Amino acid sequence: MPTPLHSLSPAGPAHCCIWDPHRVFFFTPSKKETNEMERCCCGLMTPEKQAVPLQSVDVQVDVKDHVATVVSTLLYQNKEEKPIEAVFVFPMSSEAAVCHFSAKVGQTLIVAEVKEKKQAREEYDDALSSGQQAFLLEESDQSPDIFSMSVGSLPPGESASIRLEYVTELDVQADDALRFCLPAVLNPRYQPAGTEGSSVKVTSVPSSLVPYDLTFSAQMESLRPVSKVESSCTMEPVNYLNENQTKASVKLAAGHKFDRDVELLIYYSDSHQPSAVVEAAQGSAKRGSLMGDPALMLSLYPEFPKDIMSSVSSSGEFVFLLDRSGSMDCNMSNMGTSVSRIASARDTLLLLLKSLPMGCFFNIYSFGSTFEQIFPESVKYSQKTMEEALKKVENMKANLGGTEILAPLKRIYSQACIPNQPRQLFVFTDGEVGNTKEVTNLVKSNAAAHRCFSFGIGEGASTALINGLAKEGGGHAQFISGNDRMQPKVIQSLRFAMQPAVVDISVNWDLPKGVSATVLSPPLTSIFQGQRSLLYVQLTGKSKKEAEGCVTVKYSLAGHPTENKLNFSLQPVEDTGLTVHRLAARSLIRSLEQEKEDTSHKKVDAAKKKVIDLSVQSGVSSSFTAFIAVNKTSGEAIQGPLLRRNVPLPMMMSCSMPMPKSCGRLKSRMRLCAPMQMGAVCNAFDCDDMMADECMAEESSMPAKPKPQRDPLLELVCLQKASGCWELEPELAKTLSQTSQDLQDKQPSMANKEVWATIVALVWLHGLKADAKDEWELLVMKAATWLRSQNAAGLSECVEAANALLGCSVQKDALGL
C-alpha cells in the first residue's frame, strides 16, 4: 500500500515554503505563523507532535501474465490514552479495481460491504456516534487515483489489521517490459480558481520521519519464461521457482526508504502473443448478470503489414504541450543523480524536433497559471522554424506558477486543423491537476480531430489524468520516473503518431450456436503496431467443453482492409479469484461514470444507478460507492470523543533549497494560500500568487549555477539539420571526441563535406550508441533519406573511412543506404 506525498517541507516540524519563478525557499515561521499555517493547511502532523497509529504495511503482489493481484495488509495500533480515528489518504492506480476491504480486531474479522457512498458515510458516522468500531474505504470524488481509509474508534492499546485487495493490468513499456507500480508519491493537485475543490485531506512529513515499515514481495507466473525483473528500488535477487523459469519471485531489500514509488519491470520471453482467458462465473451470482456468466479477457497484439510499416509518414501537425508549473523544477526522483523534470522535458523536445519529418507542421505550447505558444499557429517544419523553436525551448523554465491545462487545450482545439495533416497532440506534465474529469472530457469532445499522447513525468503523476488523456484522445500513455530516460518512451509514441491512423475498426465474433458475446470495454478507437489492446466480454449461453470461439478484429490501415484473428477455447478456467470479472466490472464502471458526465440531467440518475448496482454486485469500488465495515461485536461502547490522527505520507525532498538570509522581509509579506485541495502542506510549487519580487531581485545577483554537461548523444542531435544532414564543423569533431584536422584528413576525396559529416555521425551512432537506438532511430532514418536524395558517389568509401576514424565496424547496409 502506497506511501509518499509530494509537498514541501524540510526535515523538522513546522517549516513552510514559498515559491518564486526560479527557486523554492524555506523558512522557519514564528509560533503565531505556525498556528495560522496549521489552520490553513489542515495541520502538518509529525511524529514529534503526535503518535502515528499506522505501524506497518505489507504488500504481496501476484502477477499472472499481464494482470496483478495486490494484497496490502496495514497494521494499526493505538498507543495513546484515548480512542482515536485514523485517516489515511493514499494514491492508487486509476486502472485498479479495488475488490476487498476487511479488518481484523483481535479474533474478530469484519468484512466490508460495498454500498452507495452517502449511505456508507452515514453508517460510518452512526457507528462512531454509538461507540462502535467502523472502517470506511472510499475513492475520491474528484479523481479515481486517490483513496481515503478511515479506521474509527480504535480504543487505547488496541490493534487492527486492515486488508485491502485490488487487481490491475500491467502497462506495456517501450522495451516490451510489463510495468507494475506501487505508487508511493501523492502530489498535491492544483485546483484552478472557480473549480470544485476536493474534500480529501493529506498529511505529509519528510521520509526520514515516517515511522511505519514497508515489506514488499512479488511472485510472477506466465506460460512464457520470465527473462528478467528490474526495479527502481533495491530488490533481492530474482528467485526462479521452477526449471523452465515460468515462475519467479522477488522481494524488496531491507532498508528501503519511503522516498519513491516501488516499480517493477517484468520481462517475458516472446511477450507479444495474443491470448484469451475465459473465467468461470461466480457460483452464487444470478445467471445473466455480469458475475453470473463467464467472462472473457482478450489480449490482442495487432500486426500491421510490413510494407505499410516500413515507411514513415511525412505529414502531420505535431503539437507539443509542456507543463511549466513550479513543480516541474523538482527532480525526477529523490535519488541524487536524477535530473529535474523540466530539464528532461527540454532534452526530449530537442530530440522530438530533430526527429520530425520534413513536410510536417508543428507548434509548441507551454503552460502554468498562464500559457504561451511559440508560433501564433502551427508552422511548416524547416531549418528556420526548427531553430527558432529550439532557442525558445532551451530557455524554458518551470516558472509559470500553477497547473492550469484547460486554457491551452482550448486554444489548441480552437485552431482549425490543417488539411491532410493529421493532428497529433503530445502532453508532458507531472499531472498535479485537480480538475481531471474536466480536462479528459474536453479531450474526448475533440477526439475526432486528433490523437493525444500523454506523458506522466516524475513520481506521483496522476494516473487518472495521464491515462485519461490518452484513452479519450485515442493515443498512448507513458510514465517516466526515477532514473528513467524520457527520450525512448517519447520516441516510441512519436513512431505511433507517425503510423497511419487505423479507421473503421470492428470486432466480429464466431461463437457456437446459443452462445453470445457482450463487449464490456469501450469500443476500440485506436490500434498501434506492437501494442496490446484489451477487451472484456460477458459470455451468455451454454457450450460444450471442447467448444471454441473466434474473434476477428477488422480495420482499415492506409486505405488497405486488414484483419487479425484469434481462436480460443470456451472452457472456463476455475479458481481465478474472479480477477477477469472484476477487471471487466471496473472497465464497465468507468465507462458508465463517463456516460454520466456526458449525458443530460435526465439521464444522470439512471447512469449513476447503473454504476452503483454494478459496483455492489461485483464488489468493485466506484466514485459513487464505498466499502463500509462495522464491528457490531465489540462489546461495550467506546466512550469519549475520538482524537483524529492523520496518517502521514512521506514527501519528496528533491526541490528544497535554503532560503537566502537576506529574504527576511519576505516572511512578513508572506500570505498563506487558501486551503489547498487534499489539505496538503502549503504547496510552494503551484501557489503562483506567492511570487516574491524582492527575492527575485536578490536572486538575480546570485552566481549562476554551472550548466551541466550534456550527453554526447544529445550534443550530436543538436548539430543535426532539419533536413537530416550534419555539417563538417568543429563542434561535430568535439562531440565525436576527434580533432577537426583528423575529421578533415580522413574525408574521402570524392565526398562532399556534408555527406562525409553525415556518414561519420551515422557510424558513430550505430557503432558507439547502439544501446540508444530507440532514441535516434527516427532521426537516422531522416539522415538516410537525405543521403539517398543526394545521389552522392563514394558512400562505401565514406563508411569505411568513418569506421577507421572511430574504431567501429558498421556495415553500409546497416545505415539504410
Side-chain angles (χ1 to χ4, degrees):
M1 179 77 137
T3 25
L5 165 91
H6 177 103
S7 101
L8 282 183
S9 174
H15 286 249
C16 191
C17 49
I18 55 177
W19 166 250
D20 81 4
H22 308 93
R23 296 282 196 273
V24 175
F25 298 123
F26 293 99
F27 67 92
T28 304
S30 66
K31 183 175 181 180
K32 180 179 179 181
E33 289 170 324
T34 300
N35 293 336
E36 184 180 354
M37 279 192 294
E38 291 181 354
R39 287 196 302 273
C40 168
C41 299
C42 307
L44 171 61
M45 309 296 183
T46 68
E48 288 88 359
K49 296 176 69 175
Q50 60 183 217
V52 175
L54 180 59
Q55 301 296 300
S56 64
V57 180
D58 175 76
V59 178
Q60 297 181 8
V61 183
D62 185 15
V63 178
K64 292 187 177 177
D65 290 319
H66 58 265
V67 173
T69 299
V70 184
V71 176
S72 299
T73 304
L74 298 89
L75 180 62
Y76 287 85
Q77 186 176 15
N78 182 7
K79 295 185 177 181
E80 302 187 56
E81 296 178 356
K82 295 181 180 180
I84 63 170
E85 177 191 25
V87 180
F88 187 26
V89 177
F90 56 90
M92 185 178 293
S93 170
S94 62
E95 302 299 298
V98 180
C99 54
H100 178 86
F101 180 58
S102 62
K104 189 173 183 180
V105 181
Q107 298 302 311
T108 304
L109 178 65
I110 312 106
V111 179
E113 299 178 76
V114 177
K115 295 186 178 182
E116 191 274 329
K117 186 175 285 187
K118 182 180 178 182
Q119 179 186 351
R121 288 172 174 171
E122 289 176 350
E123 289 188 18
Y124 177 79
D125 290 340
D126 289 345
L128 298 194
S129 298
S130 60
Q132 292 178 308
Q133 288 182 314
F135 308 87
L136 182 70
L137 178 71
E138 58 182 317
E139 179 184 306
S140 166
D141 294 333
Q142 279 70 40
S143 187
D145 59 352
I146 301 173
F147 276 73
S148 175
M149 178 189 297
S150 300
V151 177
S153 293
L154 195 60
E158 188 163 288
S159 299
S161 178
I162 310 297
R163 178 185 170 98
L164 171 67
E165 183 177 335
Y166 66 89
V167 291
T168 187
E169 304 141 358
L170 304 186
D171 295 326
V172 181
Q173 302 301 289
D175 60 355
D176 297 337
L178 291 174
R179 177 180 182 265
F180 169 79
C181 182
L182 183 73
V185 178
L186 178 54
N187 298 334
R189 307 285 167 82
Y190 180 88
Q191 198 72 36
T195 60
E196 183 182 355
S198 170
S199 60
V200 182
K201 296 180 174 62
V202 171
T203 298
S204 60
V205 296
S207 57
S208 61
L209 299 181
V210 175
Y212 47 90
D213 299 321
L214 171 69
T215 54
F216 175 93
S217 61
Q219 184 165 311
M220 294 135 282
E221 181 178 354
S222 175
L223 295 175
R224 297 171 292 279
V226 179
S227 57
K228 63 177 177 177
V229 180
E230 297 177 347
S231 177
S232 60
C233 304
T234 304
M235 310 291 290
E236 294 187 0
V238 177
N239 178 29
Y240 288 103
L241 304 177
N242 58 5
E243 291 185 1
N244 57 12
Q245 298 189 348
T246 58
K247 292 183 179 181
S249 65
V250 293
K251 61 181 179 179
L252 196 63
H256 172 73
K257 293 184 178 181
F258 290 93
D259 57 359
R260 58 192 182 276
D261 299 344
V262 178
E263 180 186 63
L264 288 184
L265 296 176
I266 304 166
Y267 296 81
Y268 295 129
S269 301
D270 194 23
S271 59
H272 279 199
Q273 294 297 317
S275 63
V277 176
V278 177
E279 183 178 75
Q282 186 178 37
S284 59
K286 181 182 177 182
R287 292 290 297 270
S289 66
L290 187 155
M291 304 302 289
D293 286 334
L296 167 66
M297 178 172 61
L298 286 172
S299 178
L300 305 173
Y301 286 91
E303 290 295 329
F304 295 167
K306 291 184 179 180
D307 57 333
I308 296 177
M309 297 310 300
S310 61
S311 61
V312 174
S313 173
S314 61
S315 64
E317 179 195 9
F318 297 89
V319 181
F320 305 107
L321 179 58
L322 175 63
D323 187 345
R324 288 172 58 193
S325 63
S327 53
M328 287 289 288
D329 218 16
C330 194
N331 286 356
M332 296 289 289
S333 81
N334 273 348
M335 302 165 77
T337 57
S338 66
V339 299
S340 71
R341 299 170 183 176
I342 191 68
S344 182
R346 283 197 302 263
D347 286 345
T348 301
L349 275 177
L350 162 69
L351 190 60
L352 278 168
L353 287 173
K354 294 289 185 173
S355 300
L356 291 180
M358 295 295 287
C360 75
F361 288 74
F362 78 103
N363 203 352
I364 301 175
Y365 293 73
S366 57
F367 70 95
S369 298
T370 59
F371 72 89
E372 300 173 358
Q373 58 194 89
I374 290 182
F375 304 107
E377 58 186 22
S378 293
V379 297
K380 194 163 187 177
Y381 180 71
S382 66
Q383 183 66 28
K384 180 182 177 182
T385 56
M386 182 192 75
E387 287 181 349
E388 184 178 348
L390 283 174
K391 286 179 182 178
K392 294 185 178 180
V393 168
E394 189 69 26
N395 292 319
M396 285 183 174
K397 297 179 181 179
N399 59 353
L400 293 186
T403 314
E404 301 204 21
I405 192 174
L406 270 178
L409 282 174
K410 289 177 179 178
R411 172 64 64 86
I412 291 168
Y413 294 141
S414 71
Q415 302 272 351
C417 291
I418 302 170
N420 302 315
Q421 302 288 341
R423 178 173 288 172
Q424 317 285 350
L425 174 62
F426 288 68
V427 181
F428 301 85
T429 177
D430 56 13
E432 300 180 6
V433 175
N435 55 340
T436 299
K437 292 181 179 179
E438 192 176 359
V439 173
T440 54
N441 285 342
L442 177 63
V443 172
K444 182 179 181 179
S445 65
N446 290 274
H450 79 306
R451 288 191 289 186
C452 181
F453 299 85
S454 55
F455 305 89
I457 304 174
E459 295 175 36
S462 168
T463 58
L465 177 71
I466 304 306
N467 289 327
L469 288 171
K471 179 181 177 182
E472 303 300 349
H476 186 253
Q478 302 262 27
F479 290 87
I480 304 105
S481 62
N483 283 331
D484 285 353
R485 283 182 64 83
M486 191 184 302
Q487 290 83 357
K489 295 188 176 185
V490 174
I491 292 300
Q492 182 198 44
S493 291
L494 180 59
R495 289 196 68 106
F496 288 160
M498 289 180 172
Q499 290 179 14
V502 173
V503 297
D504 300 328
I505 304 173
S506 65
V507 180
N508 302 294
W509 301 89
D510 182 9
L511 299 170
K513 187 177 180 180
V515 179
S516 61
T518 302
V519 179
L520 305 175
S521 305
L524 283 177
T525 57
S526 60
I527 297 177
F528 298 106
Q529 165 73 19
Q531 277 298 299
R532 182 187 65 207
S533 296
L534 287 175
L535 284 179
Y536 293 100
V537 181
Q538 181 178 342
L539 297 175
T540 306
K542 292 185 177 181
S543 62
K544 297 179 180 179
K545 287 186 177 181
E546 66 276 9
E548 288 192 345
C550 177
V551 60
T552 304
V553 181
K554 296 183 179 181
Y555 48 89
S556 179
L557 180 67
H560 299 276
T562 308
E563 65 178 44
N564 297 121
K565 286 189 175 183
L566 176 64
N567 294 301
F568 56 91
S569 170
L570 288 171
Q571 177 65 32
V573 177
E574 306 284 349
D575 301 325
T576 58
L578 296 171
T579 299
V580 174
H581 281 80
R582 284 165 173 161
L583 288 172
R586 188 282 320 270
S587 179
L588 184 54
I589 285 170
R590 294 294 183 232
S591 297
L592 290 170
E593 288 173 336
Q594 186 66 46
E595 181 182 316
K596 175 190 173 295
E597 297 286 335
D598 296 341
T599 54
S600 64
H601 289 294
K602 292 181 180 179
K603 297 182 180 180
V604 165
D605 290 341
K608 180 177 179 180
K609 185 178 185 305
K610 286 182 182 178
V611 172
I612 293 172
D613 289 346
L614 180 58
S615 178
V616 171
Q617 175 201 145
S618 63
V620 171
S621 65
S622 73
S623 60
F624 305 125
T625 55
F627 283 90
I628 174 67
V630 178
N631 185 3
K632 298 180 179 179
T633 62
S634 54
E636 293 184 5
I638 298 170
Q639 302 296 323
L642 296 180
L643 300 177
R644 180 185 172 105
R645 294 294 178 252
N646 295 327
V647 176
L649 287 169
M651 65 181 68
M652 289 187 68
M653 299 294 293
S654 49
C655 285
S656 58
M657 284 189 64
M659 185 178 183
K661 294 180 181 179
S662 56
C663 286
R665 286 180 294 165
L666 196 53
K667 293 185 191 178
S668 60
R669 279 192 67 221
M670 168 114 178
R671 292 293 180 267
L672 290 167
C673 57
M676 300 299 292
Q677 70 289 347
M678 299 176 4
V681 186
C682 196
N683 181 7
F685 295 132
D686 291 333
C687 288
D688 54 294
D689 297 335
M690 296 161 57
M691 300 295 184
D693 297 335
E694 292 98 330
C695 274
M696 289 171 60
E698 294 178 27
E699 184 197 341
S700 63
S701 62
M702 296 172 65
K705 291 189 296 185
K707 190 174 182 180
Q709 187 173 3
R710 178 174 260 158
D711 182 345
L713 172 60
L714 291 177
E715 288 289 358
L716 185 68
V717 171
C718 276
L719 299 175
Q720 189 183 30
K721 303 300 177 183
S723 63
C725 73
W726 278 267
E727 293 182 346
L728 198 63
E729 53 185 332
E731 288 81 1
L732 176 64
K734 181 180 178 181
T735 300
L736 302 178
S737 300
Q738 304 293 323
T739 66
S740 295
Q741 192 62 47
D742 284 342
L743 207 55
Q744 293 173 10
D745 291 346
K746 294 291 184 179
Q747 178 184 339
S749 57
M750 71 283 291
N752 69 40
K753 291 182 178 180
E754 286 184 344
V755 169
W756 165 239
T758 302
I759 291 290
V760 173
L762 294 184
V763 169
W764 186 86
L765 287 169
H766 280 275
L768 301 177
K769 291 293 180 179
D771 58 338
K773 184 178 180 180
D774 289 342
E775 300 180 37
W776 52 251
E777 190 170 22
L778 286 177
L779 56 87
V780 162
M781 289 173 63
K782 188 162 66 167
T785 300
W786 179 85
L787 282 169
R788 290 193 296 268
S789 71
Q790 301 302 300
N791 295 318
L795 293 183
S796 297
E797 289 80 0
C798 286
V799 173
E800 185 177 340
N803 278 319
L805 174 69
L806 300 173
C808 299
S809 56
V810 177
Q811 300 298 311
K812 177 184 173 183
D813 291 346
L815 304 183
L817 305 177

